């Protein structure tokens, strides 16, 4: 199965390890990886700020970039949810509406693709530790995907999950909201960080890098040693195996 | 009170809200407990999503046929001997009510909670006319006694006050001498208010829904003050927003179910009443009934891209889940309609001049859209407002420049490629030990509260890794 990677501009600029982990997991599950190099950004930063026409340029670029893809898979519920909004945005546009619908129909968030398209819930990962999971608002509410991350995490050997209080409250990122209304955003991320700390977990997992940069950045500022992991990194993690002879492989 | 509750800048109001730790605790714990109650009341109904769809369909059908149902309502009220008045503006609405009261030479007025009477500045107009006016909803009464402190929530107007603050208000203004127990405070207010009900000549209520085929109004309350306000005085004046109407009792039943469960997590509130002009054989109740139907900008919303905002049944559920409302509180919105629905309708009723920040006071987390019992796409309506505000050039020139640049960059593979190459070296000047420590205003907003790593070096980027692999496998 050929899978086109939608790496997202945030992973491109800030966290390459997430893209690498995603590719390694998908290959291990038998996917053939394709990377359309003309992709840039889904257009969400400008769209959510109200700059519709400027955003449409980015959106059109993405529709063209993935035009010949069979499946488009991204490590972000939020960015994939943006793809899913395209048909509404280009409704009635004779040149782009069909392209928008086609892209929506073949786009999946990473965990969603593994569970719903590949039909796999155990990817053979193992990670020793206690973790908690932050649901991103856009993945949960706009993409409507609530369960697949938990179905996958359940099968990660050695990983103990702690529930996060008020998990349905936003972390305060909201794209440009975090820099346009920094005082409010700060209070939101502060409360979220406290909830993370209350779980006692040493790892915070999410399927969206935006939220993780936000909560992780706050925890780091407060000097808290909670480790931040994108779910692709968790699913790509395998504890070293002790071979019979005693040496590590 | 008018639509606008505070003329200061949005940022000043927000700073006040964020600095009020008492209010934030009160709002936070109210949100947390209401969430559980709402969920269990919603689940108890069976398929909640189907109920929401029914609610949405009823509201959309009614709005599409609003002229028909308003005409039917008016006919039925007049048939029963009641009066109906269509007010195009807030001034028309409050003048009509004042004139009715002045004509009767009435002085003593009791009111039950009604947001639309706040919107039309009724209290102000009646007090100017020399009336003695008392709010009888406990929350509203507390606010009135506290020199008309503005409401901060559309269902629980005094949510921002705690028992000690209420005790202080009652002690200072009413000579209350007991402690801060809620039961004692409520009993004290009840005693004062009972007398007011008995003395009142005119009672003014809101209207949760008018029932078109009955020529009646539906009141949904917990304290029973609405029923006393409507039933004891000789004259009852009800005030409604033009869109708050249902065809028959069958639709009212669906909406009341959605309203009570969404607003307070109850199956039904303590009192759900249908009332209107008295009919032959009635042995008590008011002798005269007026219904004032307020437009005040609603016709402009009807049929516009914001039409769905008129579906609102004022349950307040979107306030109860909003993480921004949670931290800044209701007063920061500067409007009698705070929270997500307030951020949508306040700019529609009051214009962007005063309210252009409100649509941006949201992380677009869509918790509001998810909880709305009549499926108003609230976060999408906020984006629509943002688009209009941008179209009208009301955002700063710096922001417009940045967004134009972002639009070009994010649509151009070539420009983005250059960005990937230069982002890391360019960030060196702004960084210390791999972390960004200074930068333009946008970055300042972020690093004020959070750490931020430097962008990745091009040779370490995901794309470089892919290219390298390709090269290796090609060998």
């Amino acid at each position: 199965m050929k899978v086109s990677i939608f790496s997202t501009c945030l992973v491109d600029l800030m966290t390459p390890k997430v893209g690498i982990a995603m590719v390694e997991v998908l290959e291990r599950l038998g996917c053939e990886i394709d990377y359309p190099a003309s992709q840039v950004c889904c257009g969400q930063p400008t769209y959510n700020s109200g700059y519709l026409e400027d955003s449409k340029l980015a959106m059109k670029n993405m529709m063209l970039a993935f035009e010949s893809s069979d499946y488009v898979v991204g490590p972000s519920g939020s960015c994939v949810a943006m793809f899913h909004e395209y048909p509404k945005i280009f409704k009635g546009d004779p040149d782009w509406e069909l392209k928008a619908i086609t892209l929506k129909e073949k786009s999946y968030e990473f965990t969603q693709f593994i569970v719903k398209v590949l039909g796999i819930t155990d990817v053979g990962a193992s990670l020793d530790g206690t973790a908690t999971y932050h649901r991103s608002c856009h993945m949960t509410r706009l993409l409507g995907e609530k369960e697949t991350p938990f179905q996958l995490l359940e099968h990660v050997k050695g990983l103990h999950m702690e529930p996060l209080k008020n998990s349905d409250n936003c972390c305060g990122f909201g794209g440009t909201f975090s820099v346009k209304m920094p005082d409010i955003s700060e209070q939101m991320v502060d409360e979220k960080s406290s909830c993370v700390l209350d779980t006692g977990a040493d790892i915070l997992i999410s399927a969206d890098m935006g939220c993780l940069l936000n909560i992780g950045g706050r925890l780091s500022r407060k000097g808290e040693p909670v480790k931040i992991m994108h779910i692709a990194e968790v699913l790509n993690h395998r504890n070293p195996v002790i071979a019979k002879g005693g040496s590590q492989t | 009170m008018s639509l606008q509750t505070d003329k200061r800048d949005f940022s000043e109001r927000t700073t006040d809200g964020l600095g009020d730790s008492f209010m934030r605790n009160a709002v936070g714990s109210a949100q947390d407990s209401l969430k559980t109650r709402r969920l269990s009341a919603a689940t108890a109904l069976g398929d909640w999503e189907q109920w929401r769809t029914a609610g949405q369909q009823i509201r959309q059908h009614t709005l599409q046929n609003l002229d028909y149902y308003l005409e039917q309502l008016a006919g039925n009220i007049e048939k029963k001997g009641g009066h109906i008045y269509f007010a195009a503006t807030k001034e028309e609405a409050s003048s009509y009510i004042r004139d009715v009261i002045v004509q009767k030479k009435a002085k003593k007025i009791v009111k039950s909670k009604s947001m639309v009477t706040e919107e039309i500045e009724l209290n102000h107009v009646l007090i100017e006319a020399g009336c003695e006016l008392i709010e009888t909803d406990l929350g509203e009464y507390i606010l009135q006694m506290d020199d008309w402190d503005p409401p901060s929530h559309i269902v629980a107007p005094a949510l921002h006050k705690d028992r000690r603050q209420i005790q202080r208000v009652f002690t200072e203004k009413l000579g209350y001498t007991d402690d801060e127990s809620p039961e004692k405070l409520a009993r004290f207010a009840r005693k004062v208010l009972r007398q007011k009900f008995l003395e009142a000549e005119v009672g003014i209520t809101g209207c949760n829904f008018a029932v078109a085929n009955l020529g009646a109004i539906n009141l949904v309350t917990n304290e029973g003050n609405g029923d006393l306000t409507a039933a004891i005085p000789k004259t009852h004046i009800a005030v409604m927003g033009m869109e708050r109407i249902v065809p028959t009792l069958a639709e009212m039943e669906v909406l009341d179910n959605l309203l009570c469960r969404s607003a307070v997590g109850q199956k039904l509130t303590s009192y759900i009443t249908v009332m209107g002009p008295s009919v032959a054989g009635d042995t008590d109740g008011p002798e005269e009934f007026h219904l004032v139907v307020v437009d005040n900008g609603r016709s402009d919303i009807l049929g516009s891209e914001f039409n769905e905002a008129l579906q609102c049944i004022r349950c307040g559920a979107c306030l109860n889940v909003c993480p921004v409302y949670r931290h800044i509180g209701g007063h920061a919105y500067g409007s009698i309609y705070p929270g997500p629905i307030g951020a949508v309708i306040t700019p529609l009723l009051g214009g962007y001049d005063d309210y252009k920040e409100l649509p941006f006071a949201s992380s677009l987390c869509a918790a509001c859209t998810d909880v709305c019992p009549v499926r108003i796409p609230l976060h999408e309506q906020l984006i629509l407002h943002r688009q209009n505000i941008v179209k009208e050039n009301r955002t700063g020139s710096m922001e417009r420049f940045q967004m134009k640049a972002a639009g070009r960059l994010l649509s151009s593979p070539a420009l983005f490629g250059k960005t990937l190459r230069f982002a890391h070296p360019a960030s060196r000047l702004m960084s210390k030990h791999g972390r960004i420590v200074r930068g333009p205003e946008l970055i300042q907003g972020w690093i004020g509260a959070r750490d931020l790593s430097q962008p990745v070096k091009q040779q370490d980027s995901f794309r470089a890794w892919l290219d390298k692999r390709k090269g290796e496998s090609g060998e």
Side-chain angles (χ1 to χ4, degrees), chain B residues 13 30 56 62 108 111 125 140 150 186 295 307 310 345 348 361 376 383 393 402 413 427 459 464:
Chain B
R13 303 194 305 254
Q56 175 192 31
T62 315
K108 292 179 187 283
K111 269 187 76 203
V125 170
E140 294 278 9
D295 183 329
N307 189 63
L310 291 178
I345 61 176
L348 296 174
I376 303 172
I383 296 176
N393 273 337
Q402 283 165 338
S427 71
Q459 63 266 34

Side-chain angles (χ1 to χ4, degrees), chain B residues 141-154:
Chain B
Y141 179 63
I142 293 163
L143 297 180
Q144 178 180 4
M145 290 305 118
D146 196 14
D147 303 321
W148 298 104
D149 190 20
S152 68
H153 188 286
I154 57 177

